[in-house]
């Protein structure tokens, strides 16, 4: 999970300790509900809050700890740190002026257990730093507005919490699940819809412009940069938050109808009491996802018995005393 912003110590000699030495604004102000950064006054707003020395040091600490691979520029973490010693003032000025252009992400294919491949887009270490700094300012403002049924990539939540919630619904007697698999979700996110939903939550021109730039940065595949006008590639710090912003609309629609469900990123189970009720929910979900221009993978989606159905690599079963328990599925998804 992303680290929490705060005063972070930086190792002696680390280049990024002086990233924001030219900035005039102070540390991020505290948001009353979370104790984290909130927008500062002035034209920069949230972007200025993201680019304070304190927030950047915390962001660099997280990026360095993650030990990610190099992006299209070929620079690893230490090489990026040395480069930023001289380049950061110009990068920061471009960010505030709205003229910064992120580098394309580097395409990487990761094998999945079912034999298919998951596409990742690896940003440069510089862009991971900027995205992480932005995340640390946006997340405390946006995360409290998300549904309580959402567990993926949120502070203090994990996949097992979603599995426990699903188990509790089944234990209560809701033995039918509506299991919807979204076909290549991250690849098919509509940028215009995503930006519109983001603007409704955080109407900050500088932040919206920068997010749009990241969405349109393109992807390098085999040495060729391919323009991209659809999707939010997995691999950058901002991607999970952007996904939650979009899917929270479906969460709120389900809540409004009183449905029981547990979601972790784009994996979601809706628990109901009967097959007929499940079919109604499935029809409703098709309508919701179509409105977001997302496509359901019909081959992997179903209204089915909750017992034995895989969710986040686990399956539910009934033990003695009719207690519902979870176990690792034989073939985790």
């Amino acid at each position: 999970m992303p680290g929490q912003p705060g005063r972070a110590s930086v190792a002696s000699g680390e280049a990024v300790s002086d990233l924001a030495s030219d900035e005039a604004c102070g540390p991020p102000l505290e948001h009353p509900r979370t104790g984290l950064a909130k927008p500062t006054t002035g034209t920069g707003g949230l972007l200025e809050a993201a680019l304070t020395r304190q927030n950047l040091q915390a962001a660099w600490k997280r990026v360095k700890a993650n030990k990610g691979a190099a992006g299209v520029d070929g620079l690893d973490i230490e090489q990026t740190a040395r480069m930023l010693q001289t380049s950061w003032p110009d990068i920061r000025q471009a960010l505030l002026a709205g003229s910064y252009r992120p580098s394309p992400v580097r395409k990487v294919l990761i094998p999945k257990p079912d034999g298919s491949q998951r596409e990742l887009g690896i940003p440069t270490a510089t862009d991971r730093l900027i995205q992480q700094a932005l995340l640390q300012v946006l997340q405390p403002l946006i995360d409290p507005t998300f549904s309580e049924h959402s567990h993926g990539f949120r502070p203090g939540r994990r996949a097992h919490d979603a599995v426990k919630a699903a188990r509790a619904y089944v234990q209560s007697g809701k033995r039918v699940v509506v299991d919807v698999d979204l076909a290549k979700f991250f690849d098919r996110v509509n940028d215009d819809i995503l930006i519109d939903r983001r603007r409704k939550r955080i109407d900050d021109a500088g932040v919206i412009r920068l997010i749009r730039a990241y969405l349109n940065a393109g992807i390098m595949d085999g040495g060729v940069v391919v323009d991209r006008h659809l999707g939010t590639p997995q691999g950058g710090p901002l991607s999970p938050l952007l996904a939650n912003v979009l899917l929270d609309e479906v969460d709120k629609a389900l809540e409004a109808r009183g449905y029981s469900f547990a979601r972790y990123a784009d994996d979601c189970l809706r628990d109901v009491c009967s097959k007929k009720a499940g079919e109604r929910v499935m029809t409703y979900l098709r309508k919701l996802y179509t409105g977001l221009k997302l496509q359901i993978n019909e081959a992997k989606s179903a209204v089915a018995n909750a017992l034995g159905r895989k969710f986040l690599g686990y399956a539910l079963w009934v033990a003695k005393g009719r207690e519902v328990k979870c176990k690792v599925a034989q073939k985790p998804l």
Side-chain angles (χ1 to χ4, degrees):
M1 301 302 295
Q4 302 299 328
R7 181 64 65 183
S9 61
V10 181
S12 175
E14 186 175 305
V16 185
S17 62
D18 292 327
L19 274 180
S21 60
D22 63 321
E23 49 119 354
C25 52
L29 303 177
E30 289 190 351
H31 186 269
R33 294 183 61 183
T34 63
L36 300 178
K38 71 175 183 180
T40 57
T41 57
T43 56
L46 283 168
L47 198 52
E48 282 188 356
L51 298 178
T52 59
R53 179 185 298 109
Q54 181 189 35
N55 194 53
L56 285 166
Q57 288 178 341
W60 181 254
K61 185 177 181 180
R62 172 60 57 180
V63 170
K64 190 174 182 180
N66 286 341
K67 300 178 180 179
V72 296
D73 61 0
L75 300 181
D76 61 21
I77 298 296
E78 297 305 324
Q79 291 170 324
T80 299
R82 291 193 291 271
M83 179 273 291
L84 290 175
Q85 280 186 310
T86 55
S87 300
W88 179 251
D90 290 337
I91 293 173
R92 183 177 185 277
Q93 184 177 358
L95 285 164
L96 292 175
S99 58
Y100 179 76
R101 294 295 176 265
S103 299
V105 296
R106 181 170 62 86
K107 182 177 178 178
V108 176
L109 296 176
I110 305 297
K112 296 172 65 175
D114 62 3
S116 62
Q117 293 182 313
R118 183 185 304 277
E119 181 179 314
L120 298 184
I122 309 301
T124 64
T126 297
D127 283 321
R128 296 203 297 274
L129 168 66
I130 296 168
Q131 286 193 34
Q132 180 66 33
L134 195 56
L135 175 70
Q136 291 170 179
V137 170
L138 294 179
Q139 191 165 52
L141 297 175
I142 296 176
D143 188 84
T145 71
F146 288 151
S147 167
E148 286 300 310
H149 299 277
S150 169
H151 301 276
F153 305 107
R154 299 183 61 191
R157 294 170 180 254
R158 56 190 181 132
H160 199 61
D161 295 327
V163 175
K164 287 171 61 179
R167 186 198 66 80
Y169 294 138
V170 175
Q171 183 70 65
S172 72
K174 296 177 179 179
R175 298 296 177 91
V176 176
V177 295
V178 183
D179 186 0
V180 175
D181 181 84
L182 294 176
K184 297 184 177 180
F185 167 71
F186 284 92
D187 298 336
R188 292 178 174 171
V189 169
N190 183 280
D191 292 354
D192 291 332
I193 293 177
L194 178 57
I195 290 295
D196 176 70
R197 301 311 189 265
R198 171 62 66 133
R199 186 178 286 112
K200 289 178 179 178
R201 294 172 185 265
I202 301 290
D203 190 11
D204 184 289
V207 168
I208 296 298
R209 182 169 52 240
L210 183 55
I211 291 175
R212 172 75 77 175
Y214 274 115
L215 292 174
N216 294 338
I219 185 166
M220 180 171 284
D221 183 9
V224 178
V225 176
V226 180
D227 289 338
R228 182 175 47 81
H229 302 288
L230 194 69
T232 170
Q234 292 175 272
L238 274 177
S239 294
L241 182 65
L242 296 178
N244 276 333
V245 165
L246 191 64
L247 293 176
D248 188 64
E249 182 168 318
V250 176
D251 294 345
K252 296 296 172 54
L254 294 175
E255 284 182 349
R257 294 199 174 192
Y259 292 130
S260 300
F261 64 97
R263 180 173 68 81
Y264 187 90
D266 58 327
D267 290 309
C268 186
L269 282 185
R270 294 86 177 171
D271 295 81
V272 294
C273 295
S274 69
K275 182 90 170 179
K276 187 175 181 180
E279 295 294 351
R280 288 197 300 268
V281 174
M282 179 68 84
T283 298
Y284 184 49
L285 286 169
R286 286 194 180 98
K287 179 181 178 181
L288 292 173
Y289 287 128
T290 298
L292 295 176
K293 297 187 178 181
L294 296 174
Q295 182 177 337
I296 291 178
N297 184 337
E298 299 290 347
K300 293 185 177 181
S301 302
V303 177
N305 191 317
L307 300 178
R309 189 76 185 177
K310 301 181 184 71
F311 180 49
L312 300 175
Y314 288 85
L316 301 178
W317 61 287
V318 179
K320 291 182 179 181
R322 306 189 71 175
E323 181 183 0
V324 177
K325 294 186 176 182
C326 60
K327 62 181 179 180
V328 176
Q330 292 183 354
K331 294 182 180 180
L333 294 179

